[in-house]
Amino acid sequence: MISSFKKLTKEQSPFAGGKGRTLARLYQAGYRVPDGFIILPTAFTGDNLTLEAWEQVQAHLTQLRQDDVNVSFAVRSSALSEDSAQASFAGEFETVLDVRIDEDIREAIHTVRCSRHNARVQAYGQAIPIAAIPIAAQSLEEMEYEIAIVVQCLVRADFSGVLFTVDPVTGDLMRMTGNFVQGLGESLVSGQANAQTFALARPKGTYSGPAELNRFARKLYRNACRLERELEGPQDIEWAIAGGRLYILQSRPITTLNGYKADTAEWNDSLRGNFLWSGANLGENAPHVLTPFSCSLRKGLGYEGVDLSDGSSIGLDGYPMAGIIGGRGYINLSIQVSASRPFFGGDTRKALQQSTAFWGDIPEDVDIPLVPISSWMWWSKVLPRLTQFGIKMVRFRKEIPKFVAENPHWCAMMYQRIRQTENQAELAALLRDEIGPYSLYAFYLANAGAGAADVLNRLESELREWVGADDANALLSNLSSLSSQLESLGPVIGLGKVARGEMSRDAYLEAYGHRGENEVEYAWSRPLEDPTWLDRQLAEFVKAQVDIDALMARQQAAFTAAWGRFEKRYPRKGKSIRLRLEKAAQAAHQREVVRSEATRSTTAIRAFALRAGELTGIGEDIFFLTIDEVLALLAGDNSACRFIPARKKTHERYRALPPYPTIIIGRFDPFQWAADPNRRSDIYNANAPLASQDMDTGTTIKGFAGALGIVEGTVRRLDRLEDSDQLQPGEILVTIMTNIGWTPLFPRAAAIVTDLGAPLSHAAIVARELGIPAVVGCNDATMRLKTGDRVRVDGGKGLVEILEPLLS
């Protein structure tokens, strides 16, 4: 029923409440925490301490008085939901300070215990996500909060204060902020006293603030950094200074940095800190807002000690590597840049340039938010983790051929096992023991295969210097002929074979029926599930009367001509560059084929979810639960199902918004952004608001050079793949982004223009192979162009010129 800080066990921890659990953990880790003990909920009958428990309390008080018979105590709440990432409850429960005699302490315990019924506690609980609160009733109005009690030696403080290891307002990771008062800190925490403010600037802890705290600033900074590492995230720390010594009174997550509201499934990782996020290329396989089920599977990406959703894989524990913002996926470039800066002499821009080909360009005048990394931390933690990560990626790349060969059989076998499973517990075990680990393995192999991007990027940069942009583009536009057919071309080339009778319908569906426009959304029905899908694709293909072989032959001729010019100009480099081109082609082929097979493996998770929906009776509503909630449901806990209606509303609200900016810096509210008539679609910077894009002047749209060629034509803007039948042969396709689901449309288009994407995006790669001019990553092409406009597309320079806008 009662445990000292020193002896609290792992088994007792869940019942010790947020404050008690953390204090015991820090005491045991060697922090200077005032000694004390925790009265667990089992010590109470209702709100009354049992006689047996009171006798144990007296024994612990006697023990604490051995060092100082005049010691005073603080009696504090420790609710099970208190001091969590979702809810702090700071100042909501009662605290009783400076009690000495046993009867006063007993009365203080009763006062704190009864405070769980206070109106302000109830109001606070109703104002935050309900999922964060242990509910012992059927309605919000009847909520009960289970509570433990902390009894702790009182520190006669000279100064008391709080310190946030990240600015709680802006999310600035390079600045710790705090405030303090003289004497005991209860008035500060409860907001009853005015405080003095101070700041500690990273990475060295430079102090700015009142002089009287300056001599303690170094201790505060060292303890704060250590607590962040120990507790794996930004902390809200209560501290006191007495007799020249620093005491830690509490440490909890900063609730304003919470990126998830469980009741409505509002996921916004931009709230977790001041980061640079990029959504370029991620939209290829997830162009629409993701369901909570799919979002949750993007968050837990740990395999063999490597987690690509978290910075721990590169030594930056607690920082998000992959994030969800308003239901859409983003990558945290602040993490990547911060970890790689030392390789470039501390030059942030050079470190960022290594990501440009895949994640898109960042304007030169934009400051890049960084993650604080000391020199010691980089050498002792980041560099070793980066090295380990690189070694594992090399190993994964070697395993790709075996995976590609065996994966189709595994997926077919697993689908049958899932369909035959009748027991909920067996289905859950199947996910935990087999489907989950295998799917994560497939995900990591796909990321290892993505290393082809580095090979292609380096080679293209060198070729541009030697022969210029046009010939460099041509030399990298024949990868299928230098190796094997790129997987992205498979759907359109396969349609031609089916139409000519060279490939059976079953073979085509086996090869490409798992691919499409929304591949990482598990709620999305795969093409092979639709018996009419292939018929529609064939009808459109035949109608377009496109000669794929002629397109590829033309592009091969362009390659041959460019190669002839290169050999003539650089006869001594011919052999080595040819080998590098072939290596790049092999890497590109491997990148695409492993991505295809990794995508096929996602069909097993979709099959699991559908079967879970059948067995539990909630059908496709299963996709509005997270993966952990689905497993809980299979185990008989249906408490999360009450959130489904609210989550559906959130999902629809997100879907009604336009696609978010490719680049997001700082805190981003998708609803506020969408409501702004002057919003920008390319970049959002919360730290330094940018001038709105001028849509009325200028006739040139700039993007990335995607595929070589210059063509004039009429725009056909498509906002949805479902409208693909509107694209007429010879028109210029303008859309937000493309993925493999769009590939059959490409041969019909005279050129491709996209808002999203980078030089190694789907649109650029496929367009190069087919010899179709392409400009990608324009950011605002769909806002400035409309169907009927006459334009000139220069794929080599990445420019779109408006010649004759269609008059309204």
Side-chain angles (χ1 to χ4, degrees):
M1 291 187 289
I2 298 175
S3 174
S4 66
F5 290 169
K6 182 178 181 180
K7 295 183 178 180
L8 187 74
T9 65
K10 289 183 178 180
E11 292 73 24
Q12 291 174 312
S13 287
F15 308 102
K19 185 182 282 99
R21 180 168 56 249
T22 301
L23 287 172
R25 177 177 176 179
L26 298 182
Y27 187 93
Q28 293 173 15
Y31 289 87
R32 185 176 282 121
V33 173
D35 202 359
F37 57 89
I38 306 158
I39 307 172
L40 303 177
T42 52
F44 295 91
T45 301
D47 291 327
N48 298 311
L49 198 62
T50 67
L51 180 61
E52 181 185 0
W54 174 239
E55 291 174 352
Q56 291 186 31
V57 167
Q58 290 178 304
H60 279 276
L61 291 172
T62 300
Q63 183 71 28
L64 290 173
R65 287 171 176 144
Q66 286 185 355
D67 294 330
D68 182 2
V69 294
N70 295 316
V71 65
S72 290
F73 297 95
V75 181
R76 311 169 71 189
S77 65
S78 185
L80 303 195
S81 51
E82 190 175 356
D83 291 341
S84 65
Q86 294 79 24
S88 70
F89 279 92
E92 303 301 332
F93 297 97
E94 294 292 340
T95 295
V96 181
L97 300 178
D98 203 9
V99 287
R100 295 187 180 185
I101 64 175
D102 286 8
E103 285 309 311
D104 288 346
I105 293 170
R106 187 173 192 175
E107 182 62 29
I109 292 169
H110 184 70
T111 297
V112 175
R113 173 75 179 179
C114 289
S115 69
R116 65 194 182 122
H117 306 299
N118 287 348
R120 66 174 182 262
V121 172
Q122 300 296 319
Y124 181 90
Q126 293 179 38
I128 62 173
I130 346 173
I133 308 302
I135 297 179
Q138 296 302 311
S139 69
L140 285 175
E141 291 74 18
E142 300 172 348
M143 267 198 284
E144 291 272 340
Y145 301 92
E146 193 51 271
I147 183 173
I149 305 293
V150 169
V151 179
Q152 190 174 18
C153 293
L154 181 70
V155 174
R156 296 288 179 186
D158 301 316
F159 300 104
S160 301
V162 296
L163 176 63
F164 297 94
T165 62
V166 171
D167 190 314
V169 177
T170 66
D172 188 351
L173 303 167
M174 303 300 289
R175 176 182 167 85
M176 297 184 183
T177 63
N179 43 50
F180 69 96
V181 295
Q182 291 188 350
L184 297 178
E186 184 59 24
S187 59
L188 172 63
V189 176
S190 61
Q192 297 174 6
N194 292 325
Q196 299 188 75
T197 62
F198 68 96
L200 298 167
R202 286 169 141 158
K204 295 183 178 180
T206 306
Y207 174 78
S208 58
E212 58 262 40
L213 192 64
N214 189 25
R215 68 190 184 100
F216 303 108
R218 197 69 194 158
K219 289 181 181 178
L220 266 173
Y221 181 71
R222 284 199 300 264
N223 273 267
C225 292
R226 184 184 167 196
L227 282 166
E228 266 197 337
R229 293 192 299 269
E230 186 96 28
L231 301 177
E232 300 179 350
Q235 295 294 302
D236 169 2
I237 304 166
E238 294 180 29
W239 54 269
I241 292 170
R245 291 184 173 185
L246 172 66
Y247 292 87
I248 302 299
L249 306 181
Q250 174 57 350
S251 187
R252 55 181 166 240
I254 302 175
T255 54
T256 59
L257 302 183
N258 179 32
Y260 181 57
K261 294 182 179 179
D263 56 334
T264 56
E266 293 176 70
W267 228 310
N268 191 344
D269 284 317
S270 76
L271 303 180
R272 294 181 61 185
N274 186 31
F275 299 115
L276 165 63
W277 298 95
S278 174
N281 282 343
L282 286 183
E284 283 190 7
N285 54 11
H288 305 301
V289 172
L290 298 171
T291 59
F293 183 84
S294 298
C295 286
S296 68
L297 285 166
R298 290 179 75 104
K299 299 296 290 181
L301 300 175
Y303 182 79
E304 290 195 4
V306 180
D307 191 342
L308 287 184
S309 66
D310 183 81
S312 59
S313 61
I314 56 175
L316 298 175
D317 304 27
Y319 295 113
M321 179 84 81
I324 301 292
I325 300 177
R328 296 180 183 272
Y330 281 80
I331 288 293
N332 188 344
L333 294 185
S334 290
I335 296 285
Q336 297 186 23
V337 170
S338 299
S340 60
R341 281 178 73 235
F343 293 122
F344 300 92
D347 191 316
T348 301
R349 279 286 158 183
K350 286 184 178 178
L352 181 65
Q353 286 172 3
Q354 67 175 333
S355 303
T356 298
F358 202 78
W359 299 118
D361 206 359
I362 311 297
E364 287 288 336
D365 59 347
V366 171
D367 290 332
I368 311 302
L370 298 175
V371 171
I373 305 176
S374 66
S375 178
W376 176 87
M377 182 178 179
W378 192 83
W379 283 103
S380 65
K381 194 170 184 181
V382 176
L383 182 59
R385 293 274 186 92
L386 284 171
T387 303
Q388 294 168 9
F389 181 82
I391 292 171
K392 287 189 176 182
M393 288 297 109
V394 170
R395 195 198 87 201
F396 285 144
R397 276 193 281 274
K398 292 179 180 178
E399 296 173 7
I400 287 175
K402 184 174 184 289
F403 168 76
V404 168
E406 297 177 354
N407 185 62
H409 172 73
W410 183 91
C411 291
M413 175 271 298
M414 186 55 65
Y415 177 81
Q416 293 301 322
R417 289 182 62 188
I418 291 169
R419 296 306 307 165
Q420 293 168 5
T421 301
E422 298 292 340
N423 181 279
Q424 293 180 194
E426 290 177 4
L427 185 64
L430 195 59
L431 179 82
R432 281 192 297 263
D433 300 339
E434 298 185 54
I435 301 172
Y438 185 87
S439 297
L440 284 170
Y441 176 63
F443 173 83
Y444 274 78
L445 290 180
N447 277 274
D454 295 332
V455 176
L456 288 168
N457 191 32
R458 287 194 298 269
L459 183 55
E460 181 172 17
S461 297
E462 293 179 36
L463 288 174
R464 280 176 175 266
E465 291 182 8
W466 293 334
V467 298
D470 289 354
D471 271 9
N473 198 306
L475 290 171
L476 290 172
S477 300
N478 190 43
L479 299 179
S480 291
S481 296
L482 292 173
S483 181
S484 301
Q485 174 188 300
L486 292 183
E487 196 72 14
S488 293
L489 295 172
V492 67
I493 293 176
L495 282 175
K497 291 181 178 180
V498 174
R500 295 190 299 270
E502 298 172 5
M503 186 179 195
S504 71
R505 295 168 63 93
D506 288 345
Y508 183 89
L509 289 172
E510 170 66 22
Y512 309 114
H514 60 287
R515 305 301 307 270
E517 65 161 334
N518 206 13
E519 293 176 343
V520 299
E521 173 53 74
Y522 297 95
W524 174 67
S525 178
R526 270 49 179 173
L528 56 83
E529 300 174 36
D530 180 358
T532 67
W533 174 79
L534 183 52
D535 290 326
R536 297 197 305 272
Q537 295 290 310
L538 284 170
E540 289 294 327
F541 181 84
V542 172
K543 178 183 175 181
Q545 297 182 342
V546 174
D547 189 340
I548 300 297
D549 293 335
L551 287 174
M552 297 193 69
R554 184 180 68 185
Q555 194 61 11
Q556 187 168 0
F559 167 83
T560 302
W563 179 248
R565 290 189 291 271
F566 181 89
E567 284 194 306
K568 185 176 181 179
R569 188 173 178 182
Y570 302 103
R572 294 184 178 180
K573 294 182 182 290
K575 185 176 181 180
S576 63
I577 294 301
R578 185 76 180 200
L579 288 173
R580 289 182 65 187
L581 282 169
E582 291 173 356
K583 182 179 179 181
Q586 292 166 2
H589 168 72
Q590 185 180 69
R591 171 196 179 200
E592 294 221 341
V593 73
V594 71
R595 177 176 172 179
S596 176
E597 288 305 321
T599 300
R600 188 193 302 275
S601 71
T602 66
T603 61
I605 294 184
R606 171 169 165 79
F608 158 81
L610 291 173
R611 188 61 177 153
E614 292 173 359
L615 294 179
T616 57
I618 70 169
E620 295 199 13
D621 280 356
I622 201 81
F623 294 109
F624 290 91
L625 300 178
T626 67
I627 185 62
D628 288 339
E629 290 166 347
V630 171
L631 290 173
L633 180 61
L634 290 171
D637 178 4
N638 66 352
S639 59
C641 291
R642 69 186 187 276
F643 302 139
I644 290 176
R647 291 178 178 183
K648 285 184 173 180
K649 289 180 180 178
T650 297
H651 190 255
E652 288 305 312
R653 290 180 67 208
Y654 282 147
R655 283 181 63 89
L657 301 178
Y660 314 148
T662 308
I663 300 298
I664 291 175
I665 302 171
R667 297 185 165 204
F668 176 75
D669 183 325
F671 299 108
Q672 288 185 4
W673 167 81
D676 182 359
N678 298 315
R679 68 177 183 268
R680 292 183 59 155
S681 59
D682 58 337
I683 184 171
Y684 175 86
N685 189 349
N687 304 327
L690 303 164
S692 61
Q693 292 168 300
D694 190 343
M695 300 301 169
D696 299 320
T697 62
T699 59
T700 301
I701 299 171
K702 187 166 185 354
F704 289 104
L708 183 66
I710 300 175
V711 66
E712 293 184 11
T714 301
V715 165
R716 173 66 64 179
R717 196 186 79 190
L718 295 182
D719 298 327
R720 307 182 310 156
L721 182 57
E722 290 87 342
D723 299 328
S724 61
D725 59 335
Q726 298 176 14
L727 179 67
Q728 302 303 310
E731 290 184 326
I732 293 174
L733 172 61
V734 177
T735 189
I736 294 172
M737 52 73 62
T738 71
N739 55 33
I740 197 166
W742 292 70
T743 302
L745 275 68
F746 277 39
R748 275 189 263 165
I752 312 291
V753 179
T754 68
D755 284 347
L756 305 181
L760 294 176
S761 64
H762 169 269
I765 290 173
V766 175
R768 283 180 178 182
E769 292 295 299
L770 296 178
I772 302 170
V775 179
V776 300
C778 297
N779 295 309
D780 60 355
T782 58
M783 296 181 70
R784 299 178 60 182
L785 297 174
K786 56 186 177 297
T787 297
D789 288 347
R790 186 89 181 159
V791 299
R792 178 187 292 115
V793 177
D794 187 334
K797 294 181 179 179
L799 297 176
V800 180
E801 183 182 356
I802 304 173
L803 303 176
E804 297 176 23
L806 181 69
L807 298 178
S808 302

